[in-house]
Amino acid sequence: MADLTREDLRAAVAAGYLTEAQATNVLALAQTRAGTRIPEDEPFELFRGFAEIFVAVGLSILFLGAFGFLQLIGRPALLSGLCAVLAWWLARYYTLKRRMMLPSIVLVLVYGAGVLGMFGVLIWRQYGLSHGTTEPAALVLVATGLALLAWFRVFRLPFSMFLVGLTGLALVLVVTRTLIPGVGFGDYTDAFDLRHGSGLAFGTLAFGLIAFVVAMSFDMRDPHRLGRTAASGFWLHLLAAPALVNTVALTFWNMGPGLGYGLLAAALALISVLALVIDRRSFLTAGIGYLIFLVAYVAGGPGDPRSWAWVLLLTGLGLTLLGTYWTALRARLMRALPDFPGKRRLPPYAE
């Protein structure tokens, strides 16, 4: 009955009968009266049935046909703008009225690509190719990000925040690579090493922190994960976690055996604790690659083929156990931690 009630509340929020705040208050009251924490996974939904897949395929073919037809005009900026306008117009039905998830994702992808293409052609035509690529590329990304924020403001599609984040990450990479001196993409491990003073490393770290703060602001407004607010936070966590883990882990990795690998293990442990506290598994997912390397090194070195069997076995066992007992482990951890700002606005943890 508890599961049915939770799904009914989500359906009511999706249909517009309840606000996310009202649904959260109702669920909080039910859980308080029961004195329990209802086991809950991170809501993740790409489609609700084959009908959405069917419509999404139709929309994809429609836009391919529209692109081919409009290409006869010979004006790429106009072509891209018309595709963006058409996607916006169709989203008023499929996103606002029908609330179809996968078709909405297709439409925002077309909209984002159309806006990017339109501004790209117009801005580069204004500056000219001889002017360089840094400033026009930054302007294109800023304009595209603002257009995607407008889409999110109107349609409240969680996936659109993922595209906003990707645009922001691309902007950070463009600006830090060219305007802030440091190591470039030539050596990947050095490019994201904080010790080298790389603009890419500090820019990626700053982006990860900002994305994490924004994601947490979404999460804390919907701690019971009922509506689109928490889903928007989920998509931002998918960007924040790799940005943070990649920069910190590569810096410790490059320090070599001993202190470096010890700090890497401590960082991964801290990320695991953070993932439990905020009830987001995406942070652990981002660190799996570095976890495998660390276990391989301890088991006999990454070059030893015999160690990989142990790596896969231990990593798989650990992740399986953590995923199985996630709720119970989180409840014990949260009870052991002292009160801190925002603790009561995180997902409930009483078993």
Side-chain angles (χ1 to χ4, degrees):
M1 187 64 183
D3 291 336
L4 178 63
T5 301
R6 188 171 64 252
E7 294 303 320
D8 285 343
L9 288 173
R10 284 182 179 157
V13 171
Y17 297 121
L18 292 175
T19 65
E20 292 174 358
Q22 290 171 335
T24 297
N25 290 334
V26 171
L27 184 59
L29 175 62
Q31 293 186 354
T32 300
R33 293 184 63 190
T36 61
R37 158 78 155 98
I38 299 175
E40 178 69 22
D41 194 1
E42 292 182 53
F44 177 75
E45 189 175 48
L46 287 178
F47 57 89
R48 299 189 179 99
F50 198 82
E52 293 198 3
I53 299 177
F54 192 81
V55 172
V57 171
L59 287 173
S60 301
I61 297 174
L62 171 65
F63 277 102
L64 285 175
F67 181 85
F69 178 78
L70 294 175
Q71 196 173 15
L72 299 176
I73 300 176
R75 297 184 178 181
L78 179 61
L79 165 64
S80 300
L82 288 175
C83 287
V85 170
L86 179 59
W88 185 288
W89 181 71
L90 289 173
R92 297 181 61 184
Y93 175 74
Y94 289 106
T95 304
L96 293 181
K97 187 173 182 180
R98 293 290 301 275
R99 297 184 180 274
M100 303 180 78
M101 184 65 66
L102 189 58
S104 298
I105 292 176
V106 172
L107 290 173
V108 73
L109 287 171
V110 172
Y111 172 79
V115 170
L116 181 66
M118 181 182 67
F119 283 119
V121 173
L122 293 177
I123 291 177
W124 247 289
R125 184 179 296 167
Q126 178 70 25
Y127 278 85
L129 294 178
S130 60
H131 187 276
T133 59
T134 302
E135 188 172 349
L139 289 176
V140 170
L141 291 171
V142 169
T144 304
L146 292 175
L148 288 169
L149 282 175
W151 181 286
F152 177 76
R153 179 68 178 83
V154 173
F155 299 107
R156 295 294 178 182
L157 179 68
F159 180 77
S160 56
M161 288 306 301
F162 182 75
L163 299 183
V164 172
L166 277 181
T167 305
L169 178 59
L171 179 62
V172 167
L173 295 179
V174 167
V175 172
T176 55
R177 184 185 177 187
T178 54
L179 300 184
I180 301 178
V183 184
F185 278 114
D187 189 338
Y188 177 81
T189 57
D190 290 339
F192 294 95
D193 192 331
L194 295 170
R195 299 174 304 157
H196 292 163
S198 169
L200 287 170
F202 285 100
T204 306
L205 183 63
F207 167 81
L209 291 173
I210 293 172
F212 176 76
V213 170
V214 177
M216 289 305 302
S217 70
F218 279 117
D219 283 352
M220 289 183 171
R221 284 185 300 200
D222 186 12
H224 291 272
R225 311 274 168 85
L226 284 171
R228 292 170 291 182
T229 303
S232 301
F234 167 81
W235 287 109
L236 285 175
H237 278 300
L238 288 184
L239 292 173
L244 292 172
V245 173
N246 180 70
T247 305
V248 174
L250 272 178
T251 300
F252 292 152
W253 187 345
N254 287 344
M255 293 174 65
L259 178 62
Y261 292 167
L263 290 175
L264 176 58
L268 292 175
L270 181 61
I271 290 169
S272 301
V273 172
L274 178 61
L276 282 168
V277 170
I278 65 176
D279 202 12
R280 287 293 187 185
R281 295 160 179 81
S282 54
F283 275 80
L284 289 182
T285 304
I288 286 176
Y290 296 102
L291 177 63
I292 290 177
F293 168 81
L294 184 64
V295 176
Y297 173 79
V298 173
D304 184 2
R306 296 173 298 177
S307 67
W308 287 105
W310 288 103
V311 170
L312 298 177
L313 180 64
L314 295 176
T315 304
L317 178 62
L319 291 176
T320 301
L321 291 175
L322 184 59
T324 302
Y325 300 103
W326 181 275
T327 302
L329 290 173
R330 181 172 182 271
R332 295 179 182 179
L333 174 63
M334 296 298 286
R335 285 198 301 266
L337 292 175
D339 287 335
F340 55 85
K343 183 177 181 180
R344 297 183 183 277
R345 297 174 60 189
L346 293 171
Y349 53 86
E351 292 181 282

